[in-house]
Amino acid sequence: MRPSILALPILAYAAACTPAAEQAQPQTAAATPAPTVAPILTGEDARDASSYARPAEARVTHVALDLAADFAARRLSGTATLDVAATRDAKQIVLDTKGLEIRTVTDDRGRALPHALGAADADRGAPLTVQLQGARQIRIAYASAPGAEALQWLSPAQTAGKVHPFLFSQGQAILNRTWIPTQDSPGIRQTWEARIVVPEPLSAVMSGERLTPEGEPAATGTRAFRFRMDKPVAPYLIAIAVGDLTFQPLGPRTGVYAEPATLPAAAAELVDTEKMVETAEGLYGPYRWGRYDMIVLPPAFPYGGMENPTLTFLTPTFIAGDRSLNGLVAHELAHSWSGNLVTNAVWADSWLNEGFTSYFENRIMEALYGPRRAAQEAWLSWADMEKALKELGPDAAGTRLHDDSGADSGGIVYDKGATFLRTLERSVGRARFDAYLTSYFDRHAFQPMTSARFLADLRANLVRGDQALERSLLLDQWVYQPGLPANAARPDATAFAPVDSAVAAFNAGGAAARVPYGGWTTAERLRFLNALPRTLPQPRLAELDRNFKLSDSGNAETLFAWLQLALANRYEPAVPAAERFLLAMGRRKFVAPLFETLMGQGDWGQPIARRLYARARPMYHAVTTSAVDKVVK
Ligand code: BES
Ligand code: ZN
């Protein structure tokens, strides 16, 4: 019996086929099989303020999409058929929608069901309330809006091949409601299937089992692709990409999709993927999703990566030629456990996804590439955390792991969450902590998680009544308080010792030529660039640029670190490189800070920012423009 699961109420419906008792399986060595209907948590801590759904009354258990992609109209249109589990007296079901054009709503026999769209909210969109009239399956005919925030429709010019258009989706956190009318809440897991019709010669891929790799004939000039996800997933994990795609296998269950022009470099960068999956399994138990494929998207993709199940979405900016940025892949892969298997029930607990994953990522890197690379990357993350703590202030609500302030945490949950888990690991020892984490993923596989539920599980299965241990861990402070608790485990301080002495020598007036930059790892180079004083005279910047070819760097992370420094010092020779970079990709993490830096440089930087943004904005995804619009005015 699992006390944690029984202590918190879990819903069962009259119509749901999985009884609560069946969900409460004892922990076993083998992976717990996926339930067909996953439980919903009903505690106040699991109430999702970002969704209109009222899952305690009626919830979606399965989504079947039948959609056609119209590139000219920039719309996906067709039907979504939803399986519903409802209490006996539920009269209606409430779905999340945003900008959807709803055409008809019918039951499984084609009978029209009364429905109403409520008032729209800029973030959450509008609730769609459907009168069930006894139905347990409803079909919605609809179309997405041309400006749907989850979808980016790329013109041929925005692709590598320049010939065909491209479409991709980005659901996290609450954007999928702009193309799928369902309950868009991470605590309401759903199985799904899809049939997607696309113009020839394009192909469609999705974040589930690909049933028709070559597609099948559909209406003239089109092909249909079918997909299935038979494990219940949070709806933000339903994802699609359509384009001129080719596939290259990397191992028995791994491979990569990309445009033909991108595929060779992408595959070379990803050669270690199969080993990564094996390494991750060695750490925390079986990979439960079948295949692990990736798609390298056009450069407008607004994130580094997105952990869509069976098909991680990646930015091409991780391609450095030397695999030095493949920690990104370890990260998205790790989400196959922390995030996709055990999922934050509400976005205020996103640290349960991202903090766990950042810790897990670093463990994969250590196991695969050794403790030195892992310590260096952990140290970069620690430095980012310290910077964020300093900027936000140690008492800021945005520095809490459980962050229900609605404030933008600036990503601190990644680094602080990883530090919390590293602190737990150091306290109880690696072997014991790894065994605990493996059992945690198994106990809660395919279920939502909250901070309170995690702490209860940790106390029941790791602390186990050890009072001294409980006192030393400061668990509640870690999760609910701002700032950094006193017991925080620092990464290996010697990781960057040689780099830090080089920084000191340079700061004391030493020549750039004496800095062994060329022999350093990417992490060491980043440490160096980020540790330099933020104000440097032009000749010193020129010296750095000349010696290390910084403006010509093919590594997006080091180029970004350099441009941040150079632009903050109004270093004119770096402007062409900044222009090239900002026009060539739309990754928010790079784009937004660079525009901020330019806008911070008054009469020098602001005209550059405005001129550049006017050209670049049409290429960027809504995720990126919504951040930059706040900066460039
Ligand atoms: N799940 C995130 C991406 C995300 C976060 C999308 C929040 C929407 C809202 C993904 O796993 C991620 O964290 N990506 C990082 C890379 C990682 C190595 C830190 C990114 O995109 O930079
Ligand atoms: Zn992540």
Side-chain angles (χ1 to χ4, degrees):
M1 277 295 148
R2 295 175 297 172
S4 61
I5 205 168
L6 297 176
L8 286 142
I10 283 179
L11 287 174
Y13 303 92
C17 48
T18 312
E22 203 178 296
Q23 289 158 4
Q25 285 145 347
Q27 185 196 327
T28 51
T32 313
T36 46
V37 175
I40 303 264
L41 303 179
T42 57
E44 188 51 33
D45 61 333
R47 214 178 55 78
D48 183 0
S50 299
S51 169
Y52 292 104
R54 299 199 303 260
E57 292 163 35
R59 64 168 287 202
V60 174
T61 59
H62 182 80
V63 179
L65 299 173
D66 190 347
L67 299 173
D70 181 340
F71 281 86
R74 302 196 156 194
R75 286 182 193 275
L76 288 172
S77 65
T79 58
T81 305
L82 310 178
D83 290 355
V84 173
T87 57
R88 246 176 261 286
D89 35 51
K91 297 273 182 295
Q92 52 196 27
I93 184 164
V94 184
L95 309 173
D96 294 300
T97 71
K98 195 173 183 188
L100 299 181
E101 196 176 288
I102 305 291
R103 293 175 180 155
T104 60
V105 182
T106 51
D107 68 6
D108 52 338
R109 287 170 302 158
R111 199 162 51 99
L113 294 176
H115 59 277
L117 264 185
D121 170 305
D123 289 329
R124 289 177 303 167
L128 174 65
T129 305
V130 178
Q131 303 304 321
L132 287 169
Q133 302 189 338
R136 288 297 177 265
Q137 192 173 65
I138 59 177
R139 174 165 300 166
I140 302 163
Y142 73 101
S144 63
E149 290 149 278
L151 303 177
Q152 190 172 13
W153 302 86
L154 301 175
S155 67
Q158 288 171 282
T159 66
K162 313 283 179 208
V163 175
H164 300 287
F166 202 102
L167 163 69
F168 66 82
S169 71
Q170 165 59 42
Q172 195 182 358
I174 56 169
L175 302 179
N176 264 352
R177 59 193 67 180
T178 65
W179 70 287
I180 307 174
T182 189
Q183 293 177 317
D184 189 13
S185 174
I188 310 177
R189 306 180 79 97
Q190 298 151 40
T191 53
W192 61 268
E193 67 195 282
R195 177 176 175 272
I196 306 290
V197 178
V198 304
E200 279 176 328
L202 305 187
S203 40
V205 291
M206 287 188 82
S207 52
E209 197 185 336
R210 287 167 281 283
L211 302 174
T212 52
E214 305 304 323
E216 31 187 48
T220 319
T222 68
R223 291 185 83 70
F225 293 80
R226 288 186 292 108
F227 306 90
R228 173 176 65 201
M229 171 50 75
D230 60 4
K231 300 162 185 70
V233 294
Y236 71 89
L237 294 170
I238 306 176
I240 185 171
V242 179
D244 178 17
L245 295 172
T246 41
F247 177 74
Q248 182 164 324
L250 297 164
R253 57 181 161 170
T254 52
V256 55
Y257 294 88
E259 288 187 72
T262 312
L263 192 64
E269 208 75 10
L270 293 167
V271 281
D272 289 344
T273 307
E274 189 75 31
K275 271 193 290 179
M276 260 189 196
V277 180
E278 286 163 12
T279 303
E281 289 189 302
L283 285 166
Y284 301 124
Y287 178 76
R288 307 184 201 220
W289 303 91
R291 294 197 56 85
Y292 182 76
D293 292 320
M294 293 148 290
I295 177 168
V296 177
L297 293 157
F301 184 59
Y303 291 107
M306 180 63 214
E307 64 271 25
N308 299 314
T310 75
L311 187 66
T312 281
F313 281 27
L314 295 172
T315 171
T317 63
F318 90 102
I319 300 176
D322 58 4
R323 286 170 260 158
S324 62
L325 301 180
N326 68 355
L328 172 68
V329 180
H331 180 96
E332 305 313 335
L333 169 65
H335 273 306
S336 305
W337 287 257
S338 41
N340 298 356
L341 199 57
V342 183
T343 311
N344 53 220
V346 292
W347 295 112
D349 278 331
S350 71
W351 78 275
L352 294 168
N353 285 14
E354 299 299 347
F356 273 63
T357 293
S358 298
Y359 171 80
F360 192 162
E361 167 197 337
N362 197 250
R363 293 294 307 276
I364 294 172
M365 298 309 277
E366 180 182 327
L368 206 48
Y369 302 113
R372 204 176 134 71
R373 178 168 174 184
Q376 290 185 345
E377 292 181 2
W379 193 255
L380 290 178
S381 150
W382 173 276
D384 282 348
M385 176 180 70
E386 286 197 312
K387 187 159 166 269
L389 283 170
K390 213 168 132 203
E391 278 167 14
L392 296 165
D395 298 327
T399 68
R400 295 179 303 185
L401 288 179
H402 170 76
D403 181 12
D404 52 8
S405 68
D408 190 353
S409 58
I412 203 171
V413 297
Y414 288 72
D415 303 321
K416 185 178 170 183
T419 301
F420 177 31
L421 295 206
R422 188 169 302 116
T423 303
L424 295 173
E425 180 207 316
R426 297 258 175 100
S427 301
V428 302
R430 180 169 275 195
R432 199 170 141 199
F433 189 58
D434 284 355
Y436 166 73
L437 272 187
T438 306
S439 74
Y440 164 84
F441 291 129
D442 199 52
R443 269 193 299 282
H444 304 286
F446 302 103
Q447 289 177 41
M449 181 56 59
T450 64
S451 282
R453 196 166 150 79
F454 164 64
L455 288 178
D457 184 90
L458 188 80
R459 289 188 162 106
N461 297 289
L462 186 70
V463 181
R464 293 170 154 271
D466 180 337
Q467 294 300 319
L469 180 61
E470 171 72 42
R471 275 193 302 276
S472 72
L473 291 177
L474 310 175
L475 297 175
D476 294 298
Q477 190 189 338
W478 269 103
V479 174
Y480 297 112
Q481 299 301 316
L484 192 68
N487 64 349
R490 288 170 165 270
D492 177 4
T494 64
F496 285 129
V499 181
D500 291 344
S501 15
V503 172
F506 181 80
N507 287 346
R514 304 198 47 134
V515 175
Y517 187 88
W520 279 340
T521 64
T522 292
E524 288 169 328
R525 293 173 179 189
L526 291 171
R527 170 69 172 190
F528 178 77
L529 294 170
N530 292 332
L532 289 172
R534 293 297 88 186
T535 309
L536 279 176
Q538 303 284 312
R540 290 296 260 171
L541 292 164
E543 206 190 329
L544 291 168
D545 198 7
R546 195 173 53 245
N547 277 279
F548 313 144
K549 308 266 174 297
L550 294 172
S551 294
D552 297 327
S553 173
N555 183 304
E557 294 281 355
T558 53
L559 180 61
F560 170 72
W562 160 244
L563 292 175
Q564 282 286 72
L565 179 67
L567 298 177
N569 286 282
R570 307 189 178 191
Y571 180 67
E572 196 73 41
V575 173
E579 287 199 19
R580 274 195 306 276
F581 191 47
L582 288 167
L583 289 167
M585 57 88 224
R587 185 173 175 187
R588 185 179 68 178
K589 168 182 150 174
F590 297 142
V591 171
L594 286 172
F595 276 111
E596 262 170 60
T597 299
L598 283 170
M599 289 303 285
Q601 294 305 318
D603 291 348
W604 181 83
Q606 295 188 359
I608 302 176
R610 292 201 190 94
R611 174 170 55 79
L612 255 174
Y613 193 44
R615 286 173 67 199
R617 193 179 185 282
M619 323 270 271
Y620 293 159
H621 188 279
V623 159
T624 299
T625 56
S626 69
V628 183
D629 283 351
K630 294 186 191 116
V631 176
V632 182
K633 291 187 179 115

